[in-house]
Amino acid sequence: MSEQINPLWNHFIRAVQEEVKPALGCTEPISLALACAMAAQQLSGAVTHIEAWVSPNLMKNGLGVTVPGTGMVGLPIAAALGALGGNAQGGLEVLKGVSTDSVEQAKALLSAGKVQVKLQEPCEEILYSRARVYAGEESASVTIAGGHTRVVQITCQGETRFMLDEQPQSDADDPLAMLSGTTLSQILEFVEQVPFSKIGFILEAARLNDALSREGLTGQWGLHIGATLNKQRSRGFMAQDLGSDIVIRTSAASDARMGGATLPAMSNSGSGNQGITATMPVLVVAEHLQADDEKLARALMLSHLAAIYIHYQLPRLSALCAATTAAMGAAAGMAWLLDGRYQTLSMAISSMIGDVSGMICDGASNSCAMKVSTSVGSAWKAVMMALDDSAVTGNEGIVADDVEHSIANLCSLACQSMQATDRQIIEIMANKAT
């Protein structure tokens, strides 16, 4: 007989399973690559040219990021490689295992001017990509909207082959919707009491993201922030301590991720950087404490679920850098490993909201690793303060006396006033691209 657990806990587990997944490459270009791969699958002949339309936010996150295995940045190479070598059933790992020949063919298609990516305006969806792939006179189109892998329509030669059933999912069936009625204290209770056998799968996040970190420390990727800080630490310019380990190993994983390493990240809320940020600090502290797998799994579940819980209250993409909210999850996980009290983790999150709440997202790029390093540095500082019963108080700024209210205040900024900031950022980036 299967082990019976609290129904709410099942929703927590499902939420993590839906939001914490392997992804190869930055998820916005990968979303377009997936649309192109699925469209190409509908065709009987060789791909001859591609037209694609994306939302402004997807364009923002695709302009400056390296596509794995190509050494090139931008949405056009992602589209071409998806169509010519992508696995249409691969989801966020659509480009996993693409051949060298496919990469060369994709670059040739670009050089011939056969790939066009345009803004879809107006566009109601924050996450939107529509790809029309041609094989001579034959064409097929795939539209992804509302999520990185959420296919809403497939057509071929004008015939609709798939249309997503738009029947709304009830809150009772949606584990993410259930988060709106829960609290951090309930999440902590779940983490401490759920059977280890139910959550052991989260250890894969540590394995994947640590492999990315080790790759990043080779210094070959992105801005090689992690490798540079490691080198400067060996020169005595930084302390050899747990805090620097957290920043160096986490930023190294982001370096590799954004620099185009052909290793998957375990993502969180549709973002590899968020997954890295929620994972690596917790892993580093767990290793320092020589914690066993069960202790690590519980801390990782707390970190990832807290990050999902906060991010669920935000737009899927916004002007707020979500490495900050993922690092709030990491702060919870680290605080729990070191202290175990709800008060400590709630104080740490509140202090972070008083510290890094203004960090903007100006698109996915190598510099994301700098924002990741800043966010996890803030998390460690906030945990150190909380361990000494010190935190930003409800008398200061947007921080409230209760951590749930502090989170709500932060998220209201991202959902309302920072929407204008997002439009300004997109306008600045679009002018740079012309």
Side-chain angles (χ1 to χ4, degrees), residues 138-215:
E138 187 184 10
S139 70
S141 176
V142 170
T143 303
I144 292 176
H148 292 90
T149 60
R150 185 174 181 266
V151 179
V152 297
Q153 187 175 32
I154 301 174
T155 64
C156 187
Q157 293 295 86
E159 172 193 347
T160 299
R161 294 187 173 179
F162 171 81
M163 181 72 75
L164 183 67
D165 182 1
E166 291 296 341
Q167 290 296 320
Q169 189 177 29
S170 71
D171 284 358
D173 296 327
D174 184 357
L176 294 180
M178 291 292 291
L179 291 177
S180 62
T182 60
T183 63
L184 282 172
S185 59
Q186 288 176 304
I187 290 173
L188 180 59
E189 180 183 25
F190 155 73
V191 164
E192 292 182 331
Q193 298 183 23
V194 68
F196 173 46
S197 61
K198 300 291 185 181
I199 60 171
F201 65 87
I202 198 66
L203 293 172
E204 182 70 359
R207 188 186 71 81
L208 289 183
N209 292 336
D210 188 43
L212 263 177
S213 177
R214 294 175 190 278
E215 181 63 27

Side-chain angles (χ1 to χ4, degrees), residues 380-401:
W380 183 239
K381 176 175 59 181
V383 170
M384 292 296 94
M385 291 170 60
L387 290 174
D388 200 39
D389 289 323
S390 175
V392 177
T393 71
N395 298 323
E396 301 166 69
I398 65 170
V399 175
D401 289 322

Side-chain angles (χ1 to χ4, degrees), residues 31-53 75-86 88 109 114-117 129-144 153-158 161:
S31 182
L32 177 59
L34 178 61
C36 291
M38 296 183 72
Q41 186 183 46
Q42 308 299 315
L43 304 175
S44 58
V47 172
T48 55
H49 60 291
I50 301 165
E51 297 175 335
W53 297 261
L75 293 168
I77 185 63
L81 189 55
L84 291 166
L109 203 65
K114 300 297 185 181
V115 183
Q116 291 186 324
V117 181
S129 61
R130 174 165 56 93
R132 182 170 295 280
V133 179
Y134 294 83
E137 297 299 315
E138 187 184 10
S139 70
S141 176
V142 170
T143 303
I144 292 176
Q153 187 175 32
I154 301 174
T155 64
C156 187
Q157 293 295 86
R161 294 187 173 179

Side-chain angles (χ1 to χ4, degrees), residues 59-301:
M59 177 72 78
K60 180 180 81 169
N61 273 12
L63 286 174
V65 67
T66 304
V67 176
T70 67
M72 297 179 66
V73 301
L75 293 168
I77 185 63
L81 189 55
L84 291 166
N87 174 9
Q89 286 75 46
L92 292 176
E93 294 186 285
V94 58
L95 299 185
K96 183 177 182 179
V98 293
S99 66
T100 303
D101 285 347
S102 294
V103 173
E104 293 307 313
Q105 291 170 19
K107 291 180 177 180
L109 203 65
L110 255 65
S111 297
K114 300 297 185 181
V115 183
Q116 291 186 324
V117 181
K118 306 171 186 176
L119 274 179
Q120 176 70 34
E121 291 185 306
C123 188
E124 295 181 0
E125 293 282 358
I126 292 175
L127 271 172
Y128 177 93
S129 61
R130 174 165 56 93
R132 182 170 295 280
V133 179
Y134 294 83
E137 297 299 315
E138 187 184 10
S139 70
S141 176
V142 170
T143 303
I144 292 176
H148 292 90
T149 60
R150 185 174 181 266
V151 179
V152 297
Q153 187 175 32
I154 301 174
T155 64
C156 187
Q157 293 295 86
E159 172 193 347
T160 299
R161 294 187 173 179
F162 171 81
M163 181 72 75
L164 183 67
D165 182 1
E166 291 296 341
Q167 290 296 320
Q169 189 177 29
S170 71
D171 284 358
D173 296 327
D174 184 357
L176 294 180
M178 291 292 291
L179 291 177
S180 62
T182 60
T183 63
L184 282 172
S185 59
Q186 288 176 304
I187 290 173
L188 180 59
E189 180 183 25
F190 155 73
V191 164
E192 292 182 331
Q193 298 183 23
V194 68
F196 173 46
S197 61
K198 300 291 185 181
I199 60 171
F201 65 87
I202 198 66
L203 293 172
E204 182 70 359
R207 188 186 71 81
L208 289 183
N209 292 336
D210 188 43
L212 263 177
S213 177
R214 294 175 190 278
E215 181 63 27
L217 285 172
T218 65
Q220 302 177 45
W221 304 102
L223 296 179
H224 39 81
I225 298 162
T228 297
L229 293 179
N230 198 37
K231 179 174 69 175
Q232 303 295 21
R233 184 170 66 172
S234 69
R235 298 175 66 189
F237 293 165
M238 291 178 68
Q240 182 86 37
D241 60 14
L242 186 53
S244 62
D245 281 346
I246 290 166
V247 172
I248 287 169
R249 289 178 60 184
T250 308
S251 54
S254 182
D255 284 327
R257 163 74 167 176
M258 305 315 291
T262 54
L263 291 171
M266 187 64 84
S267 65
N268 182 299
S269 303
S271 163
N273 275 325
Q274 289 176 58
I276 288 166
T277 303
T279 301
M280 290 307 300
V282 176
L283 174 61
V284 174
V285 172
E287 288 177 352
H288 177 80
L289 297 174
Q290 298 182 323
D292 61 18
D293 281 352
E294 179 174 345
K295 191 79 170 180
L296 173 59
R298 294 187 187 279
L300 287 172
M301 283 298 287

Side-chain angles (χ1 to χ4, degrees), residues 389-428:
D389 289 323
S390 175
V392 177
T393 71
N395 298 323
E396 301 166 69
I398 65 170
V399 175
D401 289 322
D402 175 73
V403 67
E404 303 288 354
H405 291 161
S406 296
I407 292 169
N409 291 343
L410 171 66
C411 294
S412 68
L413 283 176
C415 292
Q416 298 177 48
S417 60
M418 289 187 81
Q419 293 301 298
T421 304
D422 201 38
R423 290 190 292 271
Q424 183 69 59
I425 292 167
I426 292 168
E427 181 181 334
I428 290 169

